Every structure is written in C-alpha cells, then in structure tokens.
Amino acid sequence: MTVADFDGVRRIVIVGGVAGGMSAATRLRRLDERAEIVVLERGEHVSFANCGLPYHLSGVIAERERLLLHTPQSLSARFGLDVRIRQEVRRIDRATRQVEVHDLQANRSYALAYDHLILSPGAAPVRPPIPGAQHALTLRNVSDLDRLKSAAVAGQRSVVIGGGFIGVEVAENLREAGHQVTLLEGSPQILPPLDPELAVLARQELEKHGVQVRCSAQVTQLTERSVTLHSGETLDTDLVVLAVGVRPEDGLARDAGLEVAGRGGIVVDESLLTSDPHISAVGDAALVRDPLGELAFVPLAWGANRQGRLVADRIMGHPVSFGGHPATAIVKVFDLTAASTGLNEKQVAARGLPYATVHTHPGSHAGYYPGAERVSLKLVFDPQSGRIYGAQAVGGAGTDKRIDVLATALHAGLHADDLSDLPLAYAPPYSSAKDPVNMLGYVAQNVMDGLTRTVQWHELEGSGRRIIDVRDPSEYARGRIPGAENIPLDDLRSRADELRGTPLVVHCQVGQRGHTAARLLTELGCDVPNLDGGYLTWQAGQASRDASPQS
C-alpha cells in the first residue's frame, strides 16, 4: 500500500457520490477554488437520477442516458473535482486521518489522507432471510436498472415484493410496459407513510389499472421463476423484484468507532458532524431529527441534497443547522398522486401524543369549472395547541401543491387553525375561493374550538348511536352505511323532535353538510357529533379493512 502525498492544501475526501456526496463536492468548489476535493465512488456512476430509474422500465424516460447527470470527466472539467469511480473505501484510520481505498478496477489498495472526511455511502436494499432471496432483483442504481430492464424485456410476468414507494413505482411501470404484475405487501396496507383509509385509494388505483395487489402476504421462498407464500400458494413469474426497504450503509462508520444507532444509521449533530470532529455524514446513511426531535431514518432525495450543501458550508466556516425537518414524500400511482408529510396517525398514536384528525375530500379547483378532480386530505394535529403533526393527500391534479403547502406550514410551525389564514392563489381553473388547505384549517378550528364534535370512521361501529344520513335520497340509494336512516338536511328542523333524547351521529358525503346538521341539531338540544370526512372516509376505511385478508 502506498500513501498518497499530502501537500498541505486542504483536502476533503467524500465517500460516495450521487445526491449527498455530489452536492457537497460542487458546493465546496463554489466556496473554495483551491481546496483539493476527492470523491470516491464504489459504483460505476457517480451522478445519476436514482428517483427516475423506475420510469425507464416503462419507456416514459425513453433514453437511459438522460438519467446520467454527470461523469467524472464532466465534473473535472466544470468543477475541478477529482472523481474516482470503482473505488471502495474499506477502512477509516481516524488517528492518522486516512482512508484505505481499494481500486476495484486495478485491484490495488492505497491510502488517502484527508483534512475532512464526508461520508455519503447511501443505503442498501434490504434482503430478508428468505430462501432464494438472492434470485430477486433490486432497483437502487443504474446497474440494477440495466439488469431489471433486460429481465423485463425477456418476460411478461412480474412479482414485486414490497408495497412502499419504490415497489409501487416499479409495479406501475412494469404494468405500463405490458407485464402482468402482482404486488405483494407483508403488512395490511401498501404505502406505510399513509394511514389505511388513504392508502387504500392508491391500492384501488393500482387494481383499476390491472395490478394485482395482495396485502398481508408473507413470502416464504423464492426461485428465479416462482414465489411461494406462507399459505403454500406458489406464484409463477418471469422475474421477481425485491423492494422491501433500504438500510443505511453504516458499516464503515461503525468499524471506525463512530457513533451509530443500535438499529442502524450514523448519528450526527445539527451541523451533520459525527462523533469525530473531522468527519461528517450526509444522505441516507445519516440519521436526522424528526419534527419532535427524535432520531429518524429518512432516505429521501431532498434531505440528501440539502445536507450536502450544508456540510460544505460548515467546512468552509459558515454556521449551519439541519434539524427537525418533516419527512415529505410523494408518488405517482397511475392517474393518482399519493403524498405525505410529517407523522401519520399510527405514528402519533404510538407515541402517546394527544391528537385529533380531520378528513376532507374537496375538488382540485372550483366545481363549476370543468375538470375538477377529487383530492382526499387528512390532517393530524394536537386539538389543544393546534400543533400540526402531519398530513396526507391522495387525489388527482393539485394534490402535489396541497402537500407542499402543508409541508411548508408544518416546517414553519404554523398551527392547524392557521391554515385558514393562508392567502393562497385563487382562480377557478386552479383552486376554489376557499382552497382545500384553507378548508382543512376551518374544519380543524371547529374541532379545536369545540364547535363540532366528531366521530372517526373506525369509531362508528359499536358506538351505540343512531346514524342519521343527511344526504339527498338519491345519494343514499347509491350507497349507505348499514343501519343509517336517511333524513335529508333540509328536513331536519321539522323532524328534530323525533330525534331529541337519543344519542345520534350525523353524516353526509364528505363532512360539510354533516357539520351543518350537527350544529343545527345541537342548537335544538340533541346529542350529536358529525362523522369526520363523511361517507367517503367511512367507505375508504371499510375498503382498507376488506382489502387485507391473510394470504
């Protein structure tokens, strides 16, 4: 092993490229023209659009080269970076501030000294201990894409194991490529950042487009052309894609004695510094803080890019802080969009926090303007303080802009009732005078003020309350909650006497008429909450229960 000369010029060594590593490297160069910046990448590609990989399977992104953003040569020409691919860092010597590098092309090892080391090794696909798991393909980098694309071209049947964001994207794009696709998820629902009554809408969209979705499906064995479930059923296939999650690549840090969490991930402070003052960590390998201040593994592109820039700023002497950011994610599901920010109801409940939820189902823009599409929204918040914990959205056009507004509100520390005060842009083709985000604020404010009591979809059964459906008779005829009585909203005043003295719950289609009914009957002396989100939320909740039998 030869030790590379260290000539006194500040040398920053970056382990890993792509989002975090390359953001750090290019920002460093913009701040310091003299620094020696060396990027060591184990793979063949140092800068590529990993979030775009699934869309090459279907041909939506037709040219593979469009996914390759930079090469070592282009990075050298533009930024003066020393980018070395197929270089595996095998050990960090913190005492001498050197890394041991193995050149996979030349099959030789060398040591490289550093002033500061940035770890950006990313995350690796999880391979569960299932017999035959080695036969499954994964999708994490361009080499994975090439193997998966070749297998997809050669076959017509696919099984995708894992119903998270990557699994859903792969399933959609294989289906768009003409495959018969089965999506298997071990838990009762797909898309775990969403709560079940929102996630089921994405599942229904997959099934509408021909993807067979099976939840609570435990895989016990794989071969190159079959998947066996715990029920004993065997699914024949031409290829298997494993997308059950990723784990942080923290082995290098762990072996170097840096602080690593028990469940994985490099621990960093708000300036992204590890337990060694000369080593930072960014991207999927580093743990960050969620909005409640707890350590979280958030393998998302926004964070990696932001962290890379901040680390470069800190190395160059600028004060920085990265902490308390909500995890915000979005996925295309054929003609729908599914998105979330912050914590979902399951996570908030598990932490024992006081919370309330509200559901709405507005149109994407003014209903009288053609082409409005439904957007189903959910807000989780503290009913006393109004603190927003998180939000979810599933729908058509405009879903992305609503989740972005809600993520901004959450990050800025706005309260749930503050959403009604946001001066959002309005014209009939784009929104309503009361934007869907504003409406969430109005509904949340009613809950916080105690103006309306609500019952959630999963609380209705067994509540002992008489269910009054205040929709029009035609709506009631098209579908109703078992046991519900139809008394249209406009008839409630004249029939209040027959309702008084009996515990009631009212509901409409989406909650708005139900709120009016609850207020009217409350004023007339009735004991009556409103079914939050109305019939549509109840219907989605029931569908989520019906859709997850044991396989």
Side-chain angles (χ1 to χ4, degrees):
M1 179 184 296
T2 61
V3 179
D5 293 334
F6 185 59
D7 60 8
V9 173
R10 174 158 44 182
R11 177 186 289 158
I12 299 108
V13 174
I14 303 172
V15 179
V18 198
M22 294 317 305
S23 292
T26 53
R27 177 66 171 174
L28 282 165
R29 175 57 72 223
R30 293 185 184 102
L31 296 177
D32 188 341
E33 182 61 29
R34 295 187 65 253
E36 183 181 355
I37 304 167
V38 182
V39 181
L40 304 170
E41 168 58 45
R42 181 174 56 193
E44 299 177 12
H45 304 94
V46 73
S47 179
F48 60 92
N50 50 355
C51 294
L53 298 179
Y55 299 98
H56 182 55
L57 297 173
S58 60
V60 170
I61 299 176
E63 300 174 4
R64 173 182 177 276
E65 289 68 29
R66 292 187 62 82
L67 297 167
L68 305 178
L69 306 179
H70 274 289
T71 65
Q73 294 75 24
S74 67
L75 289 164
S76 174
R78 181 167 299 178
F79 296 103
L81 303 176
D82 181 356
V83 178
R84 309 176 190 181
I85 59 173
R86 304 291 290 151
Q87 307 291 304
E88 183 177 57
V89 177
R90 294 185 169 176
R91 191 173 71 89
I92 301 170
D93 187 335
R94 292 168 55 193
T96 62
R97 278 194 244 164
Q98 295 183 98
V99 290
E100 177 186 325
V101 188
H102 187 73
D103 185 331
L104 298 174
Q105 293 174 312
N107 193 25
R108 68 180 184 89
S109 295
Y110 61 96
L112 184 67
Y114 62 83
D115 268 346
H116 197 92
L117 180 66
I118 300 174
L119 299 179
S120 181
V126 171
R127 284 191 180 270
I130 300 172
Q134 71 275 11
H135 297 302
L137 300 171
T138 59
L139 184 58
R140 188 66 182 168
N141 54 42
V142 178
S143 298
D144 289 344
L145 175 63
D146 292 340
R147 287 188 287 269
L148 182 50
K149 180 76 171 179
S150 295
V153 169
Q156 285 295 315
R157 299 169 299 174
S158 302
V159 173
V160 180
I161 303 174
F165 282 32
I166 299 300
V168 166
E169 289 176 338
V170 170
E172 176 189 355
N173 283 278
L174 286 172
R175 180 64 185 147
E176 293 281 26
H179 273 229
Q180 300 172 25
V181 180
T182 300
L183 177 63
L184 303 176
E185 168 56 44
S187 71
Q189 67 165 79
I190 63 170
L191 300 179
L194 303 181
D195 288 312
E197 72 275 21
L198 274 293
V200 74
L201 304 178
R203 172 177 178 158
Q204 291 169 345
E205 182 72 5
L206 288 166
E207 292 172 334
K208 172 185 172 183
H209 287 268
V211 176
Q212 183 182 15
V213 182
R214 302 180 63 171
C215 294
S216 300
Q218 305 296 327
V219 177
T220 58
Q221 187 171 356
L222 300 175
T223 71
E224 290 184 355
R225 293 192 173 273
S226 68
V227 177
T228 302
L229 304 180
H230 75 294
S231 63
E233 180 184 2
T234 296
L235 307 177
D236 295 326
T237 185
D238 297 316
L239 65 101
V240 181
V241 182
L242 200 57
V244 296
V246 295
R247 57 171 179 79
E249 290 265 33
D250 58 15
L252 193 61
R254 190 185 300 272
D255 292 344
L258 299 176
E259 184 180 359
V260 175
R263 299 182 64 180
I266 305 169
V267 177
V268 296
D269 64 15
E270 287 192 352
S271 68
L272 300 163
L273 199 63
T274 70
S275 51
D276 185 311
H278 301 287
I279 304 177
S280 298
V282 299
D284 294 353
L287 298 181
V288 296
R289 299 282 174 179
D290 68 19
L292 298 179
E294 297 186 17
L295 285 175
F297 174 50
V298 186
L300 296 172
W302 177 87
N305 280 280
R306 179 62 176 151
Q307 292 161 24
R309 179 184 177 95
L310 290 177
V311 159
D313 287 352
R314 193 196 62 76
I315 291 172
M316 294 303 170
H318 303 285
V320 302
S321 177
F322 186 93
H325 291 276
T328 303
I330 192 166
V331 63
K332 176 182 174 294
V333 188
F334 290 101
D335 297 325
L336 285 187
T337 297
S340 68
T341 185
L343 305 177
N344 59 34
E345 183 179 357
K346 299 187 295 286
Q347 293 168 322
V348 173
R351 298 186 189 196
L353 299 169
Y355 74 92
T357 64
V358 296
H359 298 77
T360 61
H361 303 276
S364 56
H365 60 244
Y368 57 82
Y369 188 89
E373 300 180 38
R374 180 180 298 153
V375 179
S376 294
L377 298 170
K378 180 175 183 177
L379 186 70
V380 187
F381 62 100
D382 185 326
Q384 281 79 46
S385 69
R387 178 179 186 177
I388 299 173
Y389 296 127
Q392 299 157 49
V394 179
T399 301
D400 56 336
K401 99 171 174 179
R402 271 67 191 215
I403 206 69
D404 283 343
V405 172
L406 291 165
T408 303
L410 174 54
H411 180 64
L414 298 184
H415 291 171
D417 51 337
D418 292 329
L419 298 177
S420 58
D421 284 328
L422 295 178
L424 302 175
Y426 161 60
Y430 303 106
S431 183
S432 300
K434 296 176 183 176
D435 186 85
V437 173
N438 296 138
M439 289 303 300
L440 274 180
Y442 287 122
V443 178
Q445 186 173 28
N446 287 336
V447 172
M448 292 171 62
D449 291 345
L451 194 62
T452 298
R453 291 182 294 138
T454 59
V455 170
Q456 294 301 316
W457 66 271
H458 53 82
E459 299 170 334
L460 189 60
E461 185 177 353
S463 68
R465 291 181 175 272
R466 184 178 171 187
I467 305 171
I468 307 300
D469 184 334
V470 303
R471 298 177 298 165
D472 295 336
S474 61
E475 296 174 280
Y476 180 79
R478 287 195 294 269
R480 57 187 179 269
I481 297 173
E485 306 170 48
N486 184 215
I487 304 178
L489 176 58
D490 293 345
D491 296 341
L492 280 181
R493 279 188 181 85
S494 62
R495 299 182 61 179
D497 287 343
E498 67 185 80
L499 300 175
R500 196 176 294 113
T502 303
L504 308 171
V505 58
V506 294
H507 82 84
C508 64
Q509 187 76 353
V510 298
Q512 188 170 3
R513 285 173 290 171
H515 167 66
T516 300
R519 289 304 309 149
L520 185 157
L521 291 174
T522 298
E523 289 293 316
L524 295 177
C526 294
D527 171 18
V528 54
N530 182 27
L531 176 62
D532 178 53
Y535 179 74
L536 285 183
T537 297
W538 177 87
Q539 185 181 49
Q542 293 303 118
S544 71
R545 287 177 169 173
D546 296 341
S548 56
Q550 294 296 311
S551 297

